[in-house]
């Protein structure tokens, strides 16, 4: 299968992590919205069920996050996440220009994917932000809310639980926005379905891009 | 499952009440002797001489000796606690018979009916704000009155000696909750008092409330009456305690934008804080956070804006992709 124009980008452990993570986070977003916005007159699902599902999915996604961290530590996948700050702004601008204009003029992608490069600069920055800031932030605040007795009671007169909950909901919202954009950006390519096939079967088709 | 409060939720079922009694005794030992009563009527000294102490020494007229005996613990008063209560200024004999000034007390004095709350507070313009009559009407609908009738007096919950108008005067929600729940617990986690009005044993509260996630946190941050009474908007604290089948068991009643807690626990506090520190501040300063009940308008607006921008960006991109295909 490993022909010239196919790269094995997504090893099994990564696909397992990604699958569990994607499903888990969908459940978290759905139940989270229900917990935050339900009223006695309107609800998407039973509140108690939402709380329980949210707890279970949260623990699952947190444990799963360890697969992502250790997987990256133990394999070479982490090299795709290495970022150089020098010239980053310029690289990002090039990528944004490509998505907003170049793409429509059939120009070539400024950062074509290869064995050495799995992500373009925008992907790299957003994945780094989400995977090493937002998700761990959610895991920590989430565990705090699950075991509220661990939370500091007051931070400069402001309730610790309050801060934790607002931070948790805000990060959750940011990850939801990431997910929408992530899904859309993944659909940009020769054929919208190609990337989704890749994250399932592991192979990225260079010709298909 | 996945509840975190289970381990220590037993404080409700534990012999906490009994040990708090012991605590009082220790408190009396330490404080009772050292501090003199503040603001208590001087006439009370002769009563409190015995009724705040563990032992009593008296001249036994039969044996002609000085006798030292243990006081009946039920009749020992916590002087400082009394001094902080609403009735601190009262003389003992304002409510109890003046004949108690003789010792040994005449046994028949026990039969004397004591005044009820309404005997003093009913129809008194000075207490109109407290709406004692309305409270009485509500109380008569409650399961306590329905089951036990007149023998369920106000004092079963509101200890006349120590009562404080916490829900009106305290600015700490936690303080209000603790004070209120201790009233319920004084019987519902104490078999001897529970059996004053029931032949059964006290219910196993932490088991019954097993369905409640974060049980301990709930018990510390909301009052029993939040779910176990019918809220009446015009009353500060609702007194119609519902039979257990009718208790609220719907999370969203509190965990939502128009949280029911606004009408109950946070009602009086809101009235105060709105004028002084504003609603946002009062929520931020409050140690407890109610999932779903707090929604910051600005955060909501900002998130809707970001969502719309993201969706609009994607839509425009999709359209451009289709056109340029
Ligand atoms: C229904 C949900 C999801 C779908 C269909 C989906 C789809 C995809 C696709 C097609 C790729 C490969 C393209 C690429 O490498 O950029 C990918 C990679 C990735 N996705 Fe997702 N995704 C979903 C949810 C999520 C969520 C919730 C997160 C994180 C919170 C996430 C994080 C990532 C990361 C970090 C990668 C790169 C992994 C690597 O190669 O090291 N995805 N996803």
């Amino acid at each position: 299968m490993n022909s010239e124009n196919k790269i094995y980008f997504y090893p099994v452990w990564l696909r397992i992590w990604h699958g569990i993570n994607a499903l888990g986070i969908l459940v978290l977003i759905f139940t989270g919205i229900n917990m935050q916005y339900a009223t006695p007159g309107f609800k998407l699902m039973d509140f108690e069920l939402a709380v329980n599902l949210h707890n279970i999915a949260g623990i699952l996604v947190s444990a799963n996050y360890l697969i992502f961290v250790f997987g990256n530590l133990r394999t070479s996948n982490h090299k795709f996440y290495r970022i150089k700050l020098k010239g980053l702004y310029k690289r990002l601008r090039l990528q944004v220009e490509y998505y907003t204009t170049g793409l429509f003029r059939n120009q070539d992608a400024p950062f074509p994917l290869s064995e050495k490069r799995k992500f373009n600069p925008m992907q790299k920055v957003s994945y780094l932000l989400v995977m090493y800031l937002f998700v761990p932030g959610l895991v920590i605040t989430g565990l705090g809310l699950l075991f509220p007795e661990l939370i500091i009671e007051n931070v400069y007169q402001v309730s610790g639980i309050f801060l934790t909950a607002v931070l948790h909901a805000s990060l959750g919202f940011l990850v939801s926005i990431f997910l929408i954009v992530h899904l859309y950006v993944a659909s940009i390519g020769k054929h919208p379905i190609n990337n989704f096939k890749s994250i399932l079967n592991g192979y990225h088709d260079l010709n298909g891009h | 499952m996945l509840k975190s409060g289970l381990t220590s939720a037993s404080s409700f079922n534990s012999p906490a009440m009994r040990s708090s009694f012991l605590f009082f005794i220790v408190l009396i030992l330490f404080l009772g002797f050292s501090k003199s009563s503040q603001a208590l009527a001087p006439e009370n000294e002769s009563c409190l001489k015995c009724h705040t102490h563990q032992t009593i020494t008296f001249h036994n007229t039969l044996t002609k000796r000085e006798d030292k005996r243990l006081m009946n613990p039920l009749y020992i008063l916590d002087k400082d606690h009394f001094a902080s209560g609403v009735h601190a200024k009262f003389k003992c004999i304002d409510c109890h018979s003046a004949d108690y000034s003789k010792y040994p007390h005449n046994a028949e004095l026990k039969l004397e009916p004591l005044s009820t709350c309404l005997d003093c507070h009913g129809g008194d313009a000075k207490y109109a704000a407290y709406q004692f009559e309305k409270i009485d009407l509500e109380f008569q609908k409650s399961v306590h009155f329905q089951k036990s009738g007149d023998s369920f007096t106000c004092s079963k919950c509101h200890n006349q000696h120590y009562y404080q108008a916490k829900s009106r005067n305290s600015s700490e929600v936690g303080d209000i909750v603790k004070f209120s729940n201790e009233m319920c617990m004084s019987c519902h986690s104490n078999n001897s008092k529970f059996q004053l009005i029931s032949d059964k044993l006290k219910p196993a509260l932490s088991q019954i409330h097993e369905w409640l996630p974060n049980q301990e946190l709930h018990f510390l941050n909301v009052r029993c009456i939040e779910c176990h009474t019918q809220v009446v908007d015009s009353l500060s604290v609702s007194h119609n305690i519902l039979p257990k089948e009718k208790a609220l068991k719907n999370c969203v009643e509190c965990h939502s934008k128009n949280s029911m807690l606004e009408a109950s626990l946070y009602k009086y506090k809101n009235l105060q804080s709105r004028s002084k520190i504003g609603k946002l501040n009062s929520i931020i300063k409050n140690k407890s956070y109610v999932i779903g009940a707090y929604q910051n308008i600005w955060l909501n607006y900002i998130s809707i804006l970001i969502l719309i921008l993201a969706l609009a960006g994607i839509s425009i991109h999709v359209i451009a992709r289709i056109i340029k295909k």
Side-chain angles (χ1 to χ4, degrees):
Chain A
M1 249 243 289
N2 202 356
S3 61
E4 296 254 321
N5 43 22
K6 281 194 171 178
I7 309 174
Y8 188 51
F9 262 162
Y10 311 104
V12 176
W13 68 265
L14 187 67
R15 281 180 275 153
I16 292 177
W17 162 76
H18 188 269
I20 297 176
N21 189 59
L23 293 180
I25 285 192
L26 285 178
V27 172
L28 287 170
I29 292 175
F30 185 75
T31 52
I33 289 175
N34 189 63
M35 282 152 73
Q36 180 78 356
Y37 296 109
T39 66
F42 164 80
K43 55 182 179 177
L44 302 168
M45 68 195 299
D46 190 48
F47 189 89
E48 233 182 302
L49 182 67
V51 172
N52 283 333
L53 278 180
H54 200 83
N55 288 348
I56 295 169
I59 290 174
L60 192 70
V61 165
S62 306
N64 193 40
Y65 180 67
L66 297 178
I67 298 187
F68 180 83
V69 173
F70 287 109
N72 273 312
L73 277 178
R74 303 223 13 216
T75 69
S76 61
N77 196 56
H78 66 263
K79 69 175 190 282
F80 298 116
Y81 287 89
R82 223 169 269 155
I83 196 163
K84 274 203 219 89
L85 286 179
K86 194 161 169 269
L88 179 65
Y89 177 73
K90 196 174 157 222
R91 291 198 298 277
L92 279 175
R93 213 186 54 208
L94 275 174
Q95 186 63 36
V96 171
E97 275 169 13
Y98 172 70
Y99 275 143
T100 48
T101 57
L103 178 73
F104 304 114
R105 299 191 186 125
N106 286 325
Q107 286 169 7
D108 286 336
F111 303 96
L113 304 192
S114 68
E115 298 274 358
K116 291 228 172 69
R117 189 193 291 127
K118 175 152 69 164
F119 308 132
N120 69 45
M122 258 175 77
Q123 275 173 312
K124 203 185 270 189
V125 168
S126 59
Y127 289 164
L128 275 172
L129 264 184
V130 168
M131 294 316 300
Y132 292 103
L133 200 67
F134 297 174
V135 171
L138 276 164
V139 169
I140 293 168
T141 51
L143 287 179
L145 293 170
L146 198 57
F147 302 102
E149 53 281 7
L150 298 179
I151 297 178
I152 313 164
E153 262 195 14
N154 275 311
V155 186
Y156 298 109
Q157 296 242 323
V158 175
S159 147
I161 295 194
F162 171 82
L163 282 182
T164 315
V166 170
L167 190 62
H168 188 76
S170 307
L171 288 174
F173 170 76
L174 291 178
V175 167
S176 314
I177 294 292
F178 160 80
L179 182 59
I180 295 173
V181 177
H182 179 56
L183 289 177
Y184 179 67
V185 172
S187 80
I188 301 177
K190 262 252 165 55
H191 196 283
I193 209 80
N194 279 359
N195 275 326
F196 298 103
K197 278 191 191 145
S198 308
I199 195 73
L200 292 177
N201 66 24
Y203 287 93
H204 176 76
D205 189 349
L206 284 182
N207 295 340
H209 214 73
Chain B
M1 95 184 287
L2 301 176
K3 256 172 274 168
S4 57
L6 276 183
T7 42
S8 24
S10 55
S11 57
F12 262 68
N13 254 2
S14 69
M17 281 298 138
R18 250 169 290 144
S19 55
S20 73
F21 194 72
L22 263 179
F23 176 74
F24 279 174
I25 291 174
V26 174
L27 203 76
I28 292 163
L29 280 178
F30 280 99
L31 299 173
F33 291 116
S34 54
K35 271 195 199 165
S36 62
S37 53
Q38 316 117 339
L40 294 183
E43 294 89 333
N44 291 347
E45 276 307 322
S46 55
C47 305
L48 297 182
K49 200 171 65 194
C50 295
H51 283 280
T52 56
H53 292 153
Q54 294 299 304
T55 57
I56 145 179
T57 310
F58 61 98
H59 184 72
N60 187 325
T61 47
L62 276 182
T63 62
K64 309 268 188 279
R65 273 194 302 217
E66 294 297 300
D67 255 352
K68 190 170 186 183
R69 302 265 174 94
L70 281 175
M71 271 294 282
N72 179 341
L74 293 174
Y75 297 137
I76 301 175
L77 204 70
D78 177 350
K79 218 197 277 188
D80 294 297
H81 206 166
F82 180 58
S84 60
V86 286
H87 294 137
K89 294 259 159 52
F90 280 68
K91 296 194 283 269
C92 302
I93 56 168
D94 286 340
C95 304
H96 303 279
S97 163
D99 291 343
Y100 273 110
S101 49
K102 268 200 225 95
Y103 188 85
H105 305 312
N106 182 347
E108 292 202 349
L109 287 176
K110 276 215 164 84
L111 306 180
E112 139 198 87
L114 288 168
S115 307
T116 68
C117 299
L118 283 168
D119 287 337
C120 299
H121 293 292
D124 187 337
K126 199 172 152 203
Y127 296 102
Y130 292 83
Q131 297 180 285
F132 278 96
E133 293 82 3
K134 185 145 191 191
I135 288 177
D136 192 39
L137 281 180
E138 283 297 306
F139 166 69
Q140 292 188 9
K141 297 184 211 155
S142 78
V143 62
H144 285 150
F145 184 83
Q146 297 293 328
K147 287 260 159 77
S148 319
D150 280 328
S151 66
F152 201 103
T153 51
C154 306
S155 63
K156 289 277 188 297
C157 307
H158 302 283
N159 184 323
Q160 313 90 317
H161 292 127
Y162 305 137
Y163 193 72
Q164 298 177 21
K166 281 272 188 206
S167 82
R168 269 170 194 273
N169 301 328
S170 176
S171 56
E172 278 278 336
V173 170
D175 211 26
I176 297 174
V177 169
K178 184 163 175 277
F179 192 80
S180 173
N181 287 354
E182 274 171 4
M183 281 189 239
C184 307
M185 287 307 117
S186 72
C187 292
H188 285 274
S189 81
N190 177 334
N191 268 328
S192 18
K193 254 193 100 187
F194 192 76
Q195 292 191 324
L196 267 180
I197 52 162
S198 170
D199 300 328
K200 295 193 216 116
L201 285 177
K202 69 180 165 66
L205 294 181
S206 54
Q207 265 118 290
I208 293 173
H209 293 89
E210 193 127 50
W211 63 275
L212 189 66
N214 281 320
Q215 198 185 80
E216 190 195 13
L217 209 65
H218 274 104
F219 286 168
L220 284 176
N221 289 293
V222 284
R223 299 171 298 184
C224 309
I225 59 172
E226 251 66 80
C227 303
H228 290 277
T229 60
Q230 174 109 54
V231 173
V232 179
D233 277 339
S234 54
L235 268 189
S236 167
V237 176
S238 24
H239 276 71
N240 179 1
I241 316 264
L242 300 167
K244 62 175 184 293
E245 305 77 41
K246 293 217 182 123
L248 201 66
K249 208 177 173 183
N250 180 3
C251 312
V252 184
E253 293 286 350
C254 294
H255 291 282
S256 58
K257 201 163 102 204
N258 298 312
S259 175
M260 197 204 75
L261 292 175
E262 298 271 336
S264 51
L265 179 56
Y266 294 104
K267 173 158 54 188
Y268 202 76
K269 193 164 173 266
N270 264 347
L271 296 180
Q272 290 181 323
S273 52
R274 239 182 259 141
S275 54
K276 277 191 224 138
I277 54 174
K279 193 166 173 190
L280 178 66
N281 253 339
S282 74
I283 293 168
I284 290 180
K285 292 225 163 70
N286 183 0
K287 285 201 188 62
S288 44
Y289 172 81
V290 188
I291 305 171
Y294 170 71
Q295 279 171 37
N296 180 297
I297 294 192
W298 291 109
L299 279 184
N300 275 352
Y301 282 158
I302 292 170
S303 45
I304 289 172
L305 185 73
I306 295 177
L307 182 68
I308 289 176
L309 284 179
L311 293 178
I314 290 174
S315 312
I316 293 170
H317 207 263
V318 169
I319 293 169
R321 263 165 87 189
I322 294 171
I323 293 174
K324 288 282 174 178
K325 212 169 185 177

